[in-house]
Amino acid sequence: GMQLARDEAQADWTVVMDDDGRPAPGAIEAFRAMDLSEWDAIGAAVHHPDGRICEMNRPYRNPFWNPGAFLRTLARMPLGRGRAGFHLGDGDYRTGSPVVRVDMSSFVGLFLSHAALQRAGLPDPRLFIYGDDQLYTLQMRRAGLRIGFAPQVRFDHDTTALQAQGGVVLRPMWKVFYMYRNALMAYRVAAGPWFWPLVPVLLRKWRRKAGDYGPDAALFRTILDQAVRDGLAGRLDRSHDDILRLSRSDAP
């Protein structure tokens, strides 16, 4: 779709969204009313249909590129709230808040200028699901493109993903593989030379999430271990059929 928009359409801007995401009433009008002269891409404020902020679509500033966000993240890590140090806060979502620069925005309500599509290229389809938006927008920022978060441009994400104590709980289980393999690849881009010291911290945190999967905790760890091996190796050629087979068995 993005390739067709880039190569065939004559539109100045293109918006992408998930199949379970949609612009809220007035969102497109709010975007069209913006002064876009300083931006190459605009990320929407994504909410659940009941009004809650959708955590999986909360934009962030890369802490490895922003000293202030890095220090806030370190300060919150002992409390288990490191994520809050570099993701946008609830206050940034209030109507009337200014558009702020971000380094990552999700594909639920991401507006891309034609020039940005030309420069940034296309997402890697081998990622299939999860993390492709992180990698794409981080690479946009590395190329010098400007991404803004606009709280007045609201999207609804009717996702069934559940939030538990350790974060999002994914069903069906095959989604676990893509989430964590692709997250490692995004962290490699985000962290740069800090990536390898960061890996043990990530693995410890992720393995703790097994408790949120109840009777599937062992299966979660099995899938996670394979995802980590592939992610560290940069392997993107494992077939979806292989992942489906892995997700039906808790054997090592």
Side-chain angles (χ1 to χ4, degrees):
M2 291 171 72
Q3 183 176 17
L4 287 171
R6 182 192 66 183
D7 299 340
E8 303 295 336
Q10 299 301 313
D12 295 326
W13 287 78
T14 297
V15 59
V16 296
M17 65 194 83
D18 285 12
D19 58 353
D20 56 1
R22 56 185 173 264
I28 303 301
E29 292 79 4
F31 171 78
R32 290 171 61 88
M34 291 181 62
D35 177 5
L36 300 167
S37 60
E38 297 184 3
W39 303 107
D40 300 298
I42 292 291
V46 184
H47 295 254
H48 291 285
D50 63 7
R52 291 175 297 125
I53 294 172
C54 193
E55 290 298 328
M56 69 189 306
N57 302 122
R58 192 184 286 261
Y60 65 71
R61 299 182 183 94
N62 183 4
F64 298 98
W65 298 343
N66 297 275
F70 185 78
L71 293 174
R72 289 193 299 272
T73 302
L74 286 181
R76 288 168 169 81
M77 281 180 67
L79 304 174
R81 293 188 285 111
R83 185 177 187 273
F86 60 99
H87 283 77
L88 296 189
D90 291 0
D92 295 305
Y93 281 73
R94 295 193 186 102
T95 301
S97 297
V99 178
V100 296
R101 180 186 61 80
V102 295
D103 299 317
M104 193 290 297
S105 190
S106 84
F107 277 157
V108 180
L110 180 65
F111 294 77
L112 296 158
S113 70
H114 186 70
L117 264 177
Q118 294 277 19
R119 285 181 58 187
L122 300 169
D124 190 334
R126 296 175 299 172
L127 296 167
F128 179 55
I129 185 172
Y130 299 130
D132 49 353
D133 45 11
Q134 288 197 62
L135 276 165
Y136 189 74
T137 50
L138 285 169
Q139 288 165 347
M140 286 179 66
R141 288 290 299 123
R142 286 209 307 189
L145 295 167
R146 304 158 299 175
I147 307 173
F149 169 76
Q152 71 272 31
V153 181
R154 177 167 169 161
F155 268 61
D156 291 332
H157 192 186
D158 197 6
T159 176
T160 58
L162 301 175
Q163 289 290 132
Q165 185 174 358
V168 67
V169 176
L170 299 166
R171 301 288 181 182
M173 292 294 290
W174 58 261
K175 292 185 177 183
V176 169
F177 175 85
Y178 293 103
M179 172 66 82
Y180 293 102
R181 182 199 65 178
N182 297 354
L184 272 178
M185 294 181 173
Y187 271 111
R188 190 187 292 271
V189 171
W194 294 98
F195 173 70
W196 287 106
L198 179 66
V199 167
V201 178
L202 292 174
L203 300 189
R204 185 166 178 245
K205 174 185 175 183
W206 291 346
R207 287 188 70 82
R208 286 179 174 175
K209 293 187 178 184
D212 289 332
Y213 285 81
D216 289 323
L219 179 56
F220 171 86
R221 287 190 288 266
T222 297
I223 301 171
L224 175 65
D225 289 346
Q226 186 62 66
V228 168
R229 286 193 291 270
D230 284 11
L232 293 178
R235 179 176 179 180
L236 287 168
D237 61 351
R238 189 174 299 280
S239 73
H240 187 59
D241 286 341
D242 283 347
I243 296 161
L244 289 177
R245 283 191 289 270
L246 179 67
S247 70
R248 297 188 187 110
S249 171
D250 61 0

